[in-house]
Amino acid sequence: MKDMNELVEMFRERGYRITPQRQCVFKLLQGNTSHPSAESIYREARKEMSSLSLQTVYRTLAELVSLGELIPVDLGTGTVRFDPSVEVPHHHLVCRSCGKVSDLFADLRPPDMPEGYAQDFEVSSTEIVFRGICKACMTDGEDLGEREHRFSSK
Amino acid sequence: MKDMNELVEMFRERGYRITPQRQCVFKLLQGNTSHPSAESIYREARKEMSSLSLQTVYRTLAELVSLGELIPVDLGTGTVRFDPSVEVPHHHLVCRSCGKVSDLFADLRPPDMPEGYAQDFEVSSTEIVFRGICKACMTDGEDLGEREHRFSSK
DNA sequence: TATCACTTGAGAGTGACTATCATTAAGGAT
DNA sequence: ATCCTTAATGATAGTCACTCTCAAGTGATA
């Protein structure tokens, strides 16, 4: 994700207005590696700008996604999370217990699709998802974070 | 997923009762490779048993999941889908346009986690997800099926 | 500093589950 | 075959994560 000034510039170029709400959301995403959900960005943002609406957070995130500055990741944890690391390709670790998503920066070259399938499906991206238990949940038997919901397989 | 008789046997062993509703859901899942959602199982089941409730479908699916006879797959298409192919490990193709999920049966050995990460995360499964456009959506520009929702990355 | 289209926030709406509970019905006992 | 117990079901309401609509507010250009 671009830095603050570049984002502002980018928005201006497209005729989008620079509002305090947008800047507030931009700021919270800069260098954020926690894979926040819209809701968690909202909670943080309200500490500085109590009038901000959740709706505006969703809208701003969607704008950044459509500009390619944010990647939405939906890994079955119940909410879409947002990843500002768009520059470096990477993969994700998902904790089955608390739902936390972590990055795995490594050049795990994903396998190519076998020939037989390639004719019927045009691949645009390949993701490798590691599911398991994170360190925090291994040590505490107790879960603290947001949990994985519904039909989680374990 | 086990066959009809084995499922009935398995349920009886655990003291679960064999109801027409459960049998109806079992039958619709046998050999089903369409990765149905609870809703689509419900729609099919109602054709034979119009009194069946959606609630019972969800319950029966959850039972099968907890017995390991069904794998819930949540690939960000807006609904959890269910995969009765629990015996053969495989991966999934997800169409960004219509949301359809297809199986890819191939021994794509997923890469191991790099050493550095392995201490902080205990991996229980690794999935490879190929996202792109399915044949049907390539030919018709028009989409017919259920679409991918919300913050789909494209 | 006036204008106006873009933004915002409030409130209602939607879809996919999930909880609660009175009624119904498996299936072993009689 | 009928009774009885208790699990299972269906109806209804509730929750959560978004999504829509629209009147009111406000950047940015003139």
Side-chain angles (χ1 to χ4, degrees):
Chain A
M1 179 168 176
K2 293 180 167 46
D3 71 24
M4 203 60 181
N5 292 336
E6 289 172 316
L7 286 178
V8 167
E9 169 107 2
M10 185 182 206
F11 266 57
R12 264 198 233 285
E13 267 173 22
R14 319 234 162 195
Y16 296 174
R17 291 175 184 173
I18 305 306
T19 64
Q21 289 89 339
R22 281 174 175 164
Q23 286 176 292
C24 180
V25 173
F26 291 173
K27 204 176 64 183
L28 290 170
L29 289 167
Q30 295 287 336
N32 189 327
T33 59
S34 72
H35 304 83
S37 61
E39 188 66 38
S40 66
I41 288 289
Y42 176 63
R43 275 199 305 276
E44 283 307 304
R46 293 268 294 206
K47 292 180 184 169
E48 302 172 23
M49 183 183 265
S50 62
S51 67
L52 183 71
S53 76
L54 181 56
Q55 170 70 341
T56 294
V57 172
Y58 274 107
R59 263 188 303 236
T60 304
L61 294 172
E63 286 154 9
L64 289 167
V65 168
S66 76
L67 293 173
E69 292 302 308
L70 208 51
I71 294 172
V73 297
D74 186 345
L75 268 7
T77 59
T79 59
V80 176
R81 286 148 177 276
F82 295 90
D83 193 337
S85 303
V86 298
E87 294 84 3
V88 189
H90 61 281
H91 301 285
H92 292 114
L93 312 177
V94 183
C95 178
R96 284 191 202 283
S97 174
C98 68
K100 203 179 91 180
V101 176
S102 320
D103 288 319
L104 192 157
F105 292 102
D107 184 19
L108 305 177
R109 182 179 15 200
D112 289 329
M113 267 219 310
E115 277 305 313
Y117 290 93
Q119 312 166 0
D120 294 346
F121 197 88
E122 194 180 298
V123 176
S124 60
S125 71
T126 306
E127 54 189 61
I128 301 176
V129 181
F130 296 89
R131 294 185 191 273
I133 304 296
C134 73
K135 198 171 194 176
C137 290
M138 275 192 289
T139 53
D140 340 336
E142 204 49 49
D143 314 326
L144 303 165
E146 309 169 52
R147 4 186 65 268
E148 190 143 4
H149 73 318
R150 300 182 298 182
F151 290 109
S152 59
S153 33
K154 166 84 193 317
Chain B
M1 177 167 178
K2 292 180 167 46
D3 71 24
M4 202 61 184
N5 292 335
E6 291 172 315
L7 285 179
V8 167
E9 168 107 0
M10 185 181 207
F11 267 56
R12 262 196 236 285
E13 269 172 21
R14 321 234 161 193
Y16 296 174
R17 291 172 184 175
I18 305 307
T19 64
Q21 289 87 339
R22 281 174 174 165
Q23 287 177 291
C24 181
V25 173
F26 290 175
K27 206 176 63 181
L28 290 171
L29 289 167
Q30 295 287 337
N32 189 328
T33 60
S34 72
H35 303 82
S37 61
E39 187 66 38
S40 67
I41 289 289
Y42 175 64
R43 275 199 306 275
E44 282 309 303
R46 294 268 294 206
K47 292 180 184 170
E48 301 171 24
M49 183 183 265
S50 61
S51 66
L52 183 70
S53 76
L54 180 57
Q55 169 70 336
T56 294
V57 172
Y58 274 106
R59 264 188 303 237
T60 305
L61 294 172
E63 286 153 11
L64 289 167
V65 168
S66 75
L67 293 174
E69 291 303 308
L70 207 51
I71 294 172
V73 296
D74 186 345
L75 268 6
T77 60
T79 59
V80 175
R81 287 148 176 276
F82 295 90
D83 193 338
S85 304
V86 297
E87 294 84 3
V88 189
H90 62 280
H91 301 285
H92 292 115
L93 312 177
V94 183
C95 178
R96 283 190 203 282
S97 174
C98 68
K100 203 179 92 182
V101 176
S102 320
D103 287 321
L104 191 158
F105 291 102
D107 184 19
L108 305 177
R109 180 179 16 199
D112 289 330
M113 267 220 308
E115 278 303 314
Y117 289 95
Q119 313 166 358
D120 294 345
F121 197 88
E122 194 179 298
V123 176
S124 61
S125 71
T126 305
E127 55 189 60
I128 300 177
V129 180
F130 296 89
R131 295 187 190 271
I133 304 296
C134 73
K135 198 171 194 174
C137 289
M138 275 192 288
T139 53
D140 340 338
E142 204 49 50
D143 315 326
L144 303 164
E146 309 167 53
R147 3 187 67 268
E148 191 145 3
H149 72 319
R150 302 182 299 184
F151 291 108
S152 59
S153 33
K154 165 78 197 320

PDB file of all heavy atoms in Angstrom, chain B residues 31-53:
ATOM      1  N   GLY B  31     -22.300 -38.803  -3.360  1.00  0.00           N
ATOM      2  CA  GLY B  31     -21.696 -38.596  -4.666  1.00  0.00           C
ATOM      3  C   GLY B  31     -21.864 -37.195  -5.237  1.00  0.00           C
ATOM      4  O   GLY B  31     -21.630 -36.962  -6.418  1.00  0.00           O
ATOM      5  N   ASN B  32     -22.261 -36.267  -4.389  1.00  0.00           N
ATOM      6  CA  ASN B  32     -22.483 -34.897  -4.856  1.00  0.00           C
ATOM      7  C   ASN B  32     -21.154 -34.152  -4.967  1.00  0.00           C
ATOM      8  O   ASN B  32     -20.445 -33.979  -3.986  1.00  0.00           O
ATOM      9  CB  ASN B  32     -23.417 -34.200  -3.861  1.00  0.00           C
ATOM     10  CG  ASN B  32     -23.888 -32.858  -4.349  1.00  0.00           C
ATOM     11  OD1 ASN B  32     -23.183 -32.157  -5.058  1.00  0.00           O
ATOM     12  ND2 ASN B  32     -25.105 -32.500  -3.986  1.00  0.00           N
ATOM     13  N   THR B  33     -20.830 -33.719  -6.181  1.00  0.00           N
ATOM     14  CA  THR B  33     -19.553 -33.025  -6.383  1.00  0.00           C
ATOM     15  C   THR B  33     -19.740 -31.545  -6.658  1.00  0.00           C
ATOM     16  O   THR B  33     -18.827 -30.865  -7.117  1.00  0.00           O
ATOM     17  CB  THR B  33     -18.773 -33.635  -7.568  1.00  0.00           C
ATOM     18  OG1 THR B  33     -19.591 -33.498  -8.743  1.00  0.00           O
ATOM     19  CG2 THR B  33     -18.457 -35.092  -7.336  1.00  0.00           C
ATOM     20  N   SER B  34     -20.956 -31.040  -6.354  1.00  0.00           N
ATOM     21  CA  SER B  34     -21.246 -29.641  -6.703  1.00  0.00           C
ATOM     22  C   SER B  34     -20.922 -28.657  -5.577  1.00  0.00           C
ATOM     23  O   SER B  34     -21.182 -27.469  -5.716  1.00  0.00           O
ATOM     24  CB  SER B  34     -22.707 -29.504  -7.106  1.00  0.00           C
ATOM     25  OG  SER B  34     -23.546 -29.632  -5.962  1.00  0.00           O
ATOM     26  N   HIS B  35     -20.381 -29.141  -4.462  1.00  0.00           N
ATOM     27  CA  HIS B  35     -20.106 -28.272  -3.319  1.00  0.00           C
ATOM     28  C   HIS B  35     -21.331 -27.450  -2.947  1.00  0.00           C
ATOM     29  O   HIS B  35     -21.291 -26.220  -2.956  1.00  0.00           O
ATOM     30  CB  HIS B  35     -18.918 -27.348  -3.610  1.00  0.00           C
ATOM     31  CG  HIS B  35     -17.689 -28.080  -3.969  1.00  0.00           C
ATOM     32  ND1 HIS B  35     -17.460 -28.552  -5.246  1.00  0.00           N
ATOM     33  CD2 HIS B  35     -16.632 -28.481  -3.242  1.00  0.00           C
ATOM     34  CE1 HIS B  35     -16.310 -29.181  -5.270  1.00  0.00           C
ATOM     35  NE2 HIS B  35     -15.786 -29.167  -4.069  1.00  0.00           N
ATOM     36  N   PRO B  36     -22.422 -28.139  -2.614  1.00  0.00           N
ATOM     37  CA  PRO B  36     -23.662 -27.424  -2.331  1.00  0.00           C
ATOM     38  C   PRO B  36     -23.586 -26.625  -1.029  1.00  0.00           C
ATOM     39  O   PRO B  36     -22.832 -26.977  -0.126  1.00  0.00           O
ATOM     40  CB  PRO B  36     -24.676 -28.564  -2.184  1.00  0.00           C
ATOM     41  CG  PRO B  36     -23.868 -29.733  -1.726  1.00  0.00           C
ATOM     42  CD  PRO B  36     -22.551 -29.591  -2.435  1.00  0.00           C
ATOM     43  N   SER B  37     -24.356 -25.569  -0.972  1.00  0.00           N
ATOM     44  CA  SER B  37     -24.529 -24.815   0.269  1.00  0.00           C
ATOM     45  C   SER B  37     -25.715 -25.421   1.020  1.00  0.00           C
ATOM     46  O   SER B  37     -26.460 -26.232   0.454  1.00  0.00           O
ATOM     47  CB  SER B  37     -24.824 -23.360  -0.058  1.00  0.00           C
ATOM     48  OG  SER B  37     -26.026 -23.282  -0.820  1.00  0.00           O
ATOM     49  N   ALA B  38     -25.903 -25.022   2.259  1.00  0.00           N
ATOM     50  CA  ALA B  38     -27.059 -25.496   3.022  1.00  0.00           C
ATOM     51  C   ALA B  38     -28.340 -25.133   2.265  1.00  0.00           C
ATOM     52  O   ALA B  38     -29.261 -25.946   2.132  1.00  0.00           O
ATOM     53  CB  ALA B  38     -27.068 -24.862   4.411  1.00  0.00           C
ATOM     54  N   GLU B  39     -28.361 -23.933   1.780  1.00  0.00           N
ATOM     55  CA  GLU B  39     -29.526 -23.436   1.041  1.00  0.00           C
ATOM     56  C   GLU B  39     -29.853 -24.301  -0.186  1.00  0.00           C
ATOM     57  O   GLU B  39     -31.013 -24.614  -0.446  1.00  0.00           O
ATOM     58  CB  GLU B  39     -29.238 -21.993   0.606  1.00  0.00           C
ATOM     59  CG  GLU B  39     -30.390 -21.252  -0.026  1.00  0.00           C
ATOM     60  CD  GLU B  39     -31.539 -20.978   0.923  1.00  0.00           C
ATOM     61  OE1 GLU B  39     -31.277 -20.679   2.113  1.00  0.00           O
ATOM     62  OE2 GLU B  39     -32.705 -21.084   0.498  1.00  0.00           O
ATOM     63  N   SER B  40     -28.830 -24.702  -0.933  1.00  0.00           N
ATOM     64  CA  SER B  40     -29.128 -25.472  -2.143  1.00  0.00           C
ATOM     65  C   SER B  40     -29.536 -26.907  -1.804  1.00  0.00           C
ATOM     66  O   SER B  40     -30.367 -27.499  -2.508  1.00  0.00           O
ATOM     67  CB  SER B  40     -27.969 -25.417  -3.136  1.00  0.00           C
ATOM     68  OG  SER B  40     -26.853 -26.095  -2.631  1.00  0.00           O
ATOM     69  N   ILE B  41     -28.993 -27.451  -0.733  1.00  0.00           N
ATOM     70  CA  ILE B  41     -29.461 -28.759  -0.265  1.00  0.00           C
ATOM     71  C   ILE B  41     -30.935 -28.628   0.140  1.00  0.00           C
ATOM     72  O   ILE B  41     -31.767 -29.482  -0.201  1.00  0.00           O
ATOM     73  CB  ILE B  41     -28.624 -29.242   0.948  1.00  0.00           C
ATOM     74  CG1 ILE B  41     -27.218 -29.642   0.515  1.00  0.00           C
ATOM     75  CG2 ILE B  41     -29.315 -30.410   1.666  1.00  0.00           C
ATOM     76  CD1 ILE B  41     -27.148 -30.932  -0.283  1.00  0.00           C
ATOM     77  N   TYR B  42     -31.229 -27.567   0.825  1.00  0.00           N
ATOM     78  CA  TYR B  42     -32.603 -27.301   1.267  1.00  0.00           C
ATOM     79  C   TYR B  42     -33.563 -27.229   0.075  1.00  0.00           C
ATOM     80  O   TYR B  42     -34.603 -27.870   0.066  1.00  0.00           O
ATOM     81  CB  TYR B  42     -32.623 -25.984   2.043  1.00  0.00           C
ATOM     82  CG  TYR B  42     -33.978 -25.501   2.478  1.00  0.00           C
ATOM     83  CD1 TYR B  42     -34.746 -26.229   3.391  1.00  0.00           C
ATOM     84  CD2 TYR B  42     -34.492 -24.297   1.994  1.00  0.00           C
ATOM     85  CE1 TYR B  42     -35.975 -25.768   3.812  1.00  0.00           C
ATOM     86  CE2 TYR B  42     -35.715 -23.833   2.417  1.00  0.00           C
ATOM     87  CZ  TYR B  42     -36.466 -24.566   3.326  1.00  0.00           C
ATOM     88  OH  TYR B  42     -37.679 -24.105   3.729  1.00  0.00           O
ATOM     89  N   ARG B  43     -33.176 -26.486  -0.937  1.00  0.00           N
ATOM     90  CA  ARG B  43     -34.034 -26.346  -2.122  1.00  0.00           C
ATOM     91  C   ARG B  43     -34.316 -27.704  -2.754  1.00  0.00           C
ATOM     92  O   ARG B  43     -35.461 -28.012  -3.108  1.00  0.00           O
ATOM     93  CB  ARG B  43     -33.379 -25.437  -3.176  1.00  0.00           C
ATOM     94  CG  ARG B  43     -33.631 -23.971  -2.941  1.00  0.00           C
ATOM     95  CD  ARG B  43     -33.384 -23.151  -4.214  1.00  0.00           C
ATOM     96  NE  ARG B  43     -32.058 -23.374  -4.790  1.00  0.00           N
ATOM     97  CZ  ARG B  43     -30.956 -22.716  -4.403  1.00  0.00           C
ATOM     98  NH1 ARG B  43     -31.025 -21.814  -3.446  1.00  0.00           N
ATOM     99  NH2 ARG B  43     -29.803 -22.964  -4.974  1.00  0.00           N
ATOM    100  N   GLU B  44     -33.260 -28.522  -2.911  1.00  0.00           N
ATOM    101  CA  GLU B  44     -33.445 -29.850  -3.505  1.00  0.00           C
ATOM    102  C   GLU B  44     -34.313 -30.740  -2.618  1.00  0.00           C
ATOM    103  O   GLU B  44     -35.201 -31.441  -3.106  1.00  0.00           O
ATOM    104  CB  GLU B  44     -32.080 -30.523  -3.705  1.00  0.00           C
ATOM    105  CG  GLU B  44     -31.315 -30.027  -4.907  1.00  0.00           C
ATOM    106  CD  GLU B  44     -32.131 -30.051  -6.183  1.00  0.00           C
ATOM    107  OE1 GLU B  44     -32.623 -31.129  -6.552  1.00  0.00           O
ATOM    108  OE2 GLU B  44     -32.295 -28.972  -6.810  1.00  0.00           O
ATOM    109  N   ALA B  45     -34.007 -30.696  -1.333  1.00  0.00           N
ATOM    110  CA  ALA B  45     -34.700 -31.593  -0.405  1.00  0.00           C
ATOM    111  C   ALA B  45     -36.202 -31.298  -0.348  1.00  0.00           C
ATOM    112  O   ALA B  45     -37.024 -32.214  -0.243  1.00  0.00           O
ATOM    113  CB  ALA B  45     -34.082 -31.476   0.990  1.00  0.00           C
ATOM    114  N   ARG B  46     -36.542 -30.020  -0.464  1.00  0.00           N
ATOM    115  CA  ARG B  46     -37.949 -29.634  -0.384  1.00  0.00           C
ATOM    116  C   ARG B  46     -38.776 -30.199  -1.531  1.00  0.00           C
ATOM    117  O   ARG B  46     -39.998 -30.301  -1.429  1.00  0.00           O
ATOM    118  CB  ARG B  46     -38.070 -28.109  -0.399  1.00  0.00           C
ATOM    119  CG  ARG B  46     -37.490 -27.465   0.827  1.00  0.00           C
ATOM    120  CD  ARG B  46     -38.532 -27.285   1.880  1.00  0.00           C
ATOM    121  NE  ARG B  46     -39.511 -26.317   1.407  1.00  0.00           N
ATOM    122  CZ  ARG B  46     -40.247 -25.559   2.185  1.00  0.00           C
ATOM    123  NH1 ARG B  46     -40.104 -25.651   3.496  1.00  0.00           N
ATOM    124  NH2 ARG B  46     -41.124 -24.712   1.690  1.00  0.00           N
ATOM    125  N   LYS B  47     -38.099 -30.532  -2.625  1.00  0.00           N
ATOM    126  CA  LYS B  47     -38.835 -31.110  -3.751  1.00  0.00           C
ATOM    127  C   LYS B  47     -39.429 -32.460  -3.367  1.00  0.00           C
ATOM    128  O   LYS B  47     -40.462 -32.863  -3.895  1.00  0.00           O
ATOM    129  CB  LYS B  47     -37.910 -31.273  -4.966  1.00  0.00           C
ATOM    130  CG  LYS B  47     -37.488 -29.950  -5.561  1.00  0.00           C
ATOM    131  CD  LYS B  47     -36.568 -30.147  -6.763  1.00  0.00           C
ATOM    132  CE  LYS B  47     -36.088 -28.782  -7.282  1.00  0.00           C
ATOM    133  NZ  LYS B  47     -35.003 -28.935  -8.281  1.00  0.00           N
ATOM    134  N   GLU B  48     -38.749 -33.160  -2.451  1.00  0.00           N
ATOM    135  CA  GLU B  48     -39.234 -34.473  -2.034  1.00  0.00           C
ATOM    136  C   GLU B  48     -39.982 -34.426  -0.712  1.00  0.00           C
ATOM    137  O   GLU B  48     -40.773 -35.302  -0.408  1.00  0.00           O
ATOM    138  CB  GLU B  48     -38.058 -35.434  -1.850  1.00  0.00           C
ATOM    139  CG  GLU B  48     -37.232 -35.622  -3.090  1.00  0.00           C
ATOM    140  CD  GLU B  48     -35.968 -36.417  -2.779  1.00  0.00           C
ATOM    141  OE1 GLU B  48     -35.970 -37.165  -1.791  1.00  0.00           O
ATOM    142  OE2 GLU B  48     -34.986 -36.269  -3.546  1.00  0.00           O
ATOM    143  N   MET B  49     -39.654 -33.434   0.086  1.00  0.00           N
ATOM    144  CA  MET B  49     -40.195 -33.382   1.440  1.00  0.00           C
ATOM    145  C   MET B  49     -40.461 -31.926   1.764  1.00  0.00           C
ATOM    146  O   MET B  49     -39.618 -31.222   2.311  1.00  0.00           O
ATOM    147  CB  MET B  49     -39.152 -33.962   2.398  1.00  0.00           C
ATOM    148  CG  MET B  49     -39.605 -34.036   3.831  1.00  0.00           C
ATOM    149  SD  MET B  49     -38.300 -34.643   4.905  1.00  0.00           S
ATOM    150  CE  MET B  49     -38.709 -36.360   4.964  1.00  0.00           C
ATOM    151  N   SER B  50     -41.662 -31.479   1.405  1.00  0.00           N
ATOM    152  CA  SER B  50     -41.930 -30.041   1.443  1.00  0.00           C
ATOM    153  C   SER B  50     -42.030 -29.484   2.863  1.00  0.00           C
ATOM    154  O   SER B  50     -42.007 -28.275   3.059  1.00  0.00           O
ATOM    155  CB  SER B  50     -43.201 -29.727   0.661  1.00  0.00           C
ATOM    156  OG  SER B  50     -44.292 -30.404   1.262  1.00  0.00           O
ATOM    157  N   SER B  51     -42.114 -30.378   3.848  1.00  0.00           N
ATOM    158  CA  SER B  51     -42.234 -29.878   5.220  1.00  0.00           C
ATOM    159  C   SER B  51     -40.869 -29.625   5.876  1.00  0.00           C
ATOM    160  O   SER B  51     -40.787 -29.042   6.954  1.00  0.00           O
ATOM    161  CB  SER B  51     -43.011 -30.886   6.070  1.00  0.00           C
ATOM    162  OG  SER B  51     -42.254 -32.072   6.197  1.00  0.00           O
ATOM    163  N   LEU B  52     -39.830 -30.078   5.223  1.00  0.00           N
ATOM    164  CA  LEU B  52     -38.487 -29.951   5.807  1.00  0.00           C
ATOM    165  C   LEU B  52     -38.125 -28.485   6.075  1.00  0.00           C
ATOM    166  O   LEU B  52     -38.399 -27.619   5.252  1.00  0.00           O
ATOM    167  CB  LEU B  52     -37.463 -30.558   4.831  1.00  0.00           C
ATOM    168  CG  LEU B  52     -36.008 -30.584   5.283  1.00  0.00           C
ATOM    169  CD1 LEU B  52     -35.813 -31.586   6.395  1.00  0.00           C
ATOM    170  CD2 LEU B  52     -35.112 -30.903   4.108  1.00  0.00           C
ATOM    171  N   SER B  53     -37.492 -28.257   7.204  1.00  0.00           N
ATOM    172  CA  SER B  53     -37.085 -26.879   7.492  1.00  0.00           C
ATOM    173  C   SER B  53     -35.597 -26.675   7.228  1.00  0.00           C
ATOM    174  O   SER B  53     -34.790 -27.612   7.317  1.00  0.00           O
ATOM    175  CB  SER B  53     -37.395 -26.519   8.943  1.00  0.00           C
ATOM    176  OG  SER B  53     -36.452 -27.106   9.807  1.00  0.00           O
TER     177      SER B  53
END
